[in-house]
């Protein structure tokens, strides 16, 4: 299980720039591996390897259509990323919530005092 | 997002490595600014609900340092190290934010305080040295914030309720 760290963690998976490029390409819709490989200037086995990692962490799903296999974004895996990437803003918005409450207390004290 | 909309505050060269967060607070600018100037105030609101800060050193001046430990509700400690790079009361505070002195991954935040009638608009522009560091900070704060979302929402709710009650 040498690859467990990469394949079980969404964030390790998207730390790789080429995999982020694949996700960006898939935003436009489902595509077969051959098209993805072309767009990325990669070999097909190279693109397949990245797609396998993305699929294992739940960021990409695939389905068979006729003779070819189509890859698309997996909304479930992306939800975790979306929540996670909101972290910095959430941290500060939560801090500013407390700041707001604190400043209201300051204001009231000054008015009373 | 309408890309043809004029963006006066956005600078294209740093757009992919910055984060802007803004908030309007119903209080005069001097008062809001003051809440950023003293550890007595800062320790009351820094971090989401349930977070506490323990200050090792605090000196509010350009070149001064706030060296502290932030503790999350689950008991995890986060080392924080802030130094102020520009202070223009009550308009602007620029600070370098890292985990320790000379942290190579430290990032700069510029807080501007603008009077908006009787209220104050705070804008926090954080520019990271690289896009990778921005993404890392997002992930780190995401990690801090993970599991705290409920608390964060509760805090927002409590703050709103308190503010609403005060206004009515």
């Amino acid at each position: 299980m040498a690859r467990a760290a990469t394949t079980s963690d969404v964030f390790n998976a998207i730390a790789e720039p080429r995999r982020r490029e694949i996700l960006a390409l898939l935003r436009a819709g489902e595509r077969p591996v051959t098209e993805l490989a072309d767009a990325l200037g990669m070999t097909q086995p190279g693109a397949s390897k990245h797609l396998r990692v993305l699929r294992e962490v739940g960021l990409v799903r695939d389905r068979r259509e006729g003779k070819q296999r189509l890859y698309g974004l997996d909304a479930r895996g992306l939800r975790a990323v979306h929540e996670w990437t909101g972290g910095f803003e959430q941290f500060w918005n939560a801090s500013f919530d407390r700041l707001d409450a604190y400043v209201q207390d300051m204001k009231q004290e000054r008015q009373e005092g | 997002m309408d890309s043809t909309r004029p963006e006066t505050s956005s600078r294209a060269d740093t757009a992919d490595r910055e984060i802007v967060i803004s908030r309007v607070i119903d209080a005069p600018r001097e008062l809001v600014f003051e809440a950023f100037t003293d550890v007595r105030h800062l320790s009351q609101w820094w971090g989401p609900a349930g977070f506490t800060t323990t200050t090792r050193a605090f000196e509010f001046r350009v070149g001064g340092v706030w060296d502290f430990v932030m503790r999350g509700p689950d008991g995890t400690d986060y080392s924080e190290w802030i130094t102020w790079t520009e202070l223009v009361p009550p308009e602007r505070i620029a600070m370098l934010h890292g985990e320790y002195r000379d942290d190579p991954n430290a990032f700069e935040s510029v807080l501007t305080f603008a009077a908006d009638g009787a209220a104050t608009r705070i804008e926090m522009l954080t520019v990271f040295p690289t896009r990778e560091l921005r993404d890392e900070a997002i992930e780190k704060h995401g990690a801090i914030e993970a599991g705290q979302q409920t608390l964060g929402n509760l805090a927002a709710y409590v703050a709103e309720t308190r503010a609403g009650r005060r206004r009515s």
Side-chain angles (χ1 to χ4, degrees):
Chain A
M1 293 294 285
R3 303 196 44 179
T6 303
T7 55
S8 64
D9 188 317
V10 169
F11 300 100
N12 280 329
I14 60 171
E16 158 63 47
R18 305 317 300 272
R19 293 193 200 120
R20 292 201 296 272
E21 285 178 49
I22 290 175
L23 294 175
L25 286 168
L26 291 179
R27 277 196 302 220
E30 291 177 316
R31 299 176 83 164
V33 65
T34 45
E35 278 185 28
L36 290 168
D38 277 353
L40 294 163
M42 293 177 82
T43 63
Q44 193 180 315
S48 292
K49 218 165 105 182
H50 286 312
L51 283 167
R52 194 176 62 233
V53 172
L54 291 168
R55 199 184 55 201
E56 283 172 11
V57 300
L59 287 171
V60 161
R61 55 181 166 61
D62 62 331
R63 66 182 180 90
R64 185 164 282 285
E65 192 177 75
K67 279 182 185 169
Q68 61 180 2
R69 190 170 287 281
L70 291 175
Y71 293 87
L73 291 181
D74 188 335
R76 289 165 306 158
L78 287 172
R79 191 180 155 190
V81 178
H82 179 72
E83 286 174 0
W84 205 257
T85 52
F88 189 84
E89 270 186 75
Q90 279 169 24
F91 182 93
W92 279 100
N93 281 325
S95 289
F96 284 161
D97 287 339
R98 287 178 78 193
L99 170 70
D100 193 351
Y102 182 71
V103 168
Q104 298 312 321
D105 286 347
M106 283 172 82
K107 192 164 89 174
Q108 203 166 32
E109 275 170 30
R110 301 285 159 98
Q111 279 164 0
E112 286 163 5
Chain B
M1 291 291 276
D2 182 359
S3 60
T4 60
R5 191 165 57 98
E7 281 286 354
T8 48
S9 64
S10 175
R11 296 170 305 183
D13 58 330
T14 59
D16 66 343
R17 53 189 175 89
E18 67 181 36
I19 298 176
V20 182
I21 299 165
S22 63
R23 172 66 64 99
V24 175
I25 291 186
D26 182 22
R29 183 161 71 150
E30 285 72 15
L31 198 63
V32 177
F33 187 88
E34 193 186 327
F36 284 81
T37 61
D38 193 325
V39 71
R40 175 169 60 95
H41 299 314
L42 284 163
S43 63
Q44 294 297 312
W45 63 264
W46 190 275
F51 283 76
T52 59
T53 55
T54 305
T55 294
R56 299 186 191 115
F58 183 90
E59 201 179 353
F60 189 72
R61 60 172 176 82
V62 172
V65 167
W66 182 21
D67 182 2
F68 64 106
V69 174
M70 186 170 71
R71 175 165 292 181
D74 63 355
T76 308
D77 283 340
Y78 306 91
S79 181
E80 306 280 337
W81 191 89
I82 282 170
T83 184
W84 291 278
T85 52
E86 191 189 6
L87 298 173
V88 187
E91 291 167 21
R92 191 162 61 249
I93 295 174
M95 59 189 187
L96 201 58
H97 191 163
E99 292 177 24
Y100 50 86
R101 180 181 298 276
D102 300 327
D103 182 352
N105 295 342
F107 51 86
E108 187 169 54
S109 292
V110 180
L111 289 145
T112 51
F113 303 80
D116 185 359
T120 304
R121 171 177 288 277
I122 304 175
E123 190 183 85
M124 184 169 106
L125 169 68
T126 303
V127 180
F128 295 88
T130 63
R131 190 168 63 170
E132 287 69 29
L133 284 170
R134 179 193 68 171
D135 294 347
E136 215 171 88
I138 286 171
E139 191 174 327
K140 182 202 154 203
H141 283 81
I144 294 173
E145 185 64 12
Q148 307 305 334
Q149 275 196 44
T150 310
L151 275 175
N153 292 340
L154 180 65
Y157 173 74
V158 170
E160 274 167 27
T161 310
R162 292 175 70 183
R165 214 181 286 148
R166 228 172 262 120
R167 274 184 218 114
S168 59

